């Protein structure tokens, strides 16, 4: 799909505006007309794909504990909104399937695997099964810092878009991305300059940047020719990247 401008993604839905990685945050992000949402997944002890950034529920809910040591029933009783603000009280932690059910093919999804199957057995397989169940293969990019995660996904599916998340200069990672058969590098924006965009494109890859939160920075990277931009403030994306 050809876009004159970069694809625009709300980071954890709309992390700067609502309780991150919750359905209300995703709804809010989508309401600003972004192309898609970025989210993170872990496995609960009963092997449900829980949408949360951290390994524990402590920072974003009123509970305590490691996701991998809790059942989804326990996690679902927690309040994932009250720490962000009292008006969000009662917001729940969603499963990946809940997010897919809510938005379907209407948006794109950037899904970060926080750990590979070495930590969460078969998570890559489970993720691909869920994507297939909702017929979203062409709407998803699976991203990770973890080389094993991307390698495992690619061995199971030779078509789905993959993005290697990096913190550093893209040229260091181009060969790794190629070995993983990943078509994207997802880079911390502060280390990216116009020559980096050229190097990545010359290497046959696409380049996304995260997490760009200032209007002038959004405009700058939009003009730089990156292929996607992720922001905590999706309300700023379309107005500053036309």
């Amino acid at each position: 799909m050809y876009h004159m401008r970069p694809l625009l993604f709300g980071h954890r839905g709309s992390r700067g505006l609502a309780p991150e990685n919750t359905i209300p945050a995703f709804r809010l992000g989508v309401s600003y007309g972004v192309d898609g949402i970025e989210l993170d997944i872990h496995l609960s002890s009963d092997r449900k794909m829980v949408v949360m950034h951290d390994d524990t529920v402590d920072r974003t809910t009123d509970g305590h504990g490691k996701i991998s040591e809790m059942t989804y029933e326990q996690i679902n009783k927690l309040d994932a909104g009250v720490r962000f603000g009292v008006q969000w009280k009662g917001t729940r932690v969603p499963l990946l399937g809940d997010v897919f059910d809510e938005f379907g093919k209407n948006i794109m999804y950037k899904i970060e695997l926080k750990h590979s199957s070495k930590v969460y057995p078969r998570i890559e397989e489970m993720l691909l099964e869920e994507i297939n169940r909702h017929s979203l293969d062409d709407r998803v990019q699976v991203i990770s810092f973890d080389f094993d995660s991307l390698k495992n996904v690619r061995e199971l599916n030779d078509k789905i878009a993959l993005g290697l998340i990096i913190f550093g200069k893209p040229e260091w990672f181009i060969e790794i991305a190629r070995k993983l058969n990943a078509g994207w590098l997802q880079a911390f924006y502060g280390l990216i300059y116009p020559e980096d965009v050229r190097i990545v494109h010359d290497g046959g890859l696409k380049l996304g940047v995260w997490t760009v939160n200032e209007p002038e920075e959004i405009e700058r990277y939009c003009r730089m020719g990156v292929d996607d931009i992720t922001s905590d403030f999706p309300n700023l994306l379309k107005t500053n990247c036309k």
Side-chain angles (χ1 to χ4, degrees), residues 9-22 24-26 28-29 32 38 59-60 83-85 87-88 211-214 230-237:
F9 285 85
H11 187 229
R12 306 181 204 167
S14 43
R15 186 186 179 215
L17 305 168
E20 64 179 60
N21 276 327
T22 65
F26 298 137
L28 187 60
Y32 291 111
E38 184 270 354
R59 179 176 61 86
T60 54
R83 283 186 183 274
F84 195 88
Q87 72 271 34
W88 302 98
T211 306
V212 194
N213 290 336
E214 298 297 329
T230 302
S231 177
D232 290 333
F233 296 93
N235 55 315
L236 302 177
L237 283 170

Side-chain angles (χ1 to χ4, degrees), residues 85-207:
V86 70
Q87 72 271 34
W88 302 98
K89 194 173 179 352
T91 303
R92 299 289 163 223
V93 177
L95 295 174
L96 181 62
D98 300 332
V99 181
F100 285 168
D101 287 341
E102 174 85 18
F103 300 102
K105 290 176 174 285
N106 295 322
I107 60 167
M108 301 178 79
Y109 304 87
K110 201 192 290 264
I111 300 173
E112 181 175 350
L113 283 167
K114 304 304 288 188
H115 301 291
S116 76
S117 53
K118 286 183 173 149
V119 176
Y120 294 133
R122 286 188 62 247
I123 189 169
E124 298 92 354
E125 206 172 323
M126 291 172 64
L127 171 59
L128 289 168
E129 283 169 4
E130 193 73 22
I131 292 166
N132 289 337
R133 193 175 298 124
H134 289 82
S135 302
L136 292 170
D137 302 56
D138 60 342
R139 308 299 289 164
V140 170
Q141 181 187 150
V142 179
I143 64 174
S144 188
F145 279 103
D146 190 320
F147 299 166
D148 288 329
S149 289
L150 298 181
K151 181 172 176 284
N152 294 340
V153 171
R154 183 52 81 225
E155 285 172 359
L156 293 162
N157 183 311
D158 61 0
K159 291 192 173 64
I160 201 153
L162 293 185
L164 175 62
I165 311 174
I166 64 170
F167 194 96
K169 298 303 281 182
E171 62 189 289
W172 304 340
F173 295 95
I174 287 172
E175 283 308 312
I176 297 169
R178 282 194 186 130
K179 280 182 183 161
L180 294 167
N181 203 1
W184 288 77
L185 290 176
Q186 294 291 344
F188 171 63
Y189 80 97
L191 299 173
I192 301 302
Y193 295 89
E195 61 268 25
D196 299 304
V197 180
R198 284 196 297 277
I199 287 166
V200 173
H201 288 166
D202 288 348
L205 302 176
K206 292 185 174 179
L207 180 64

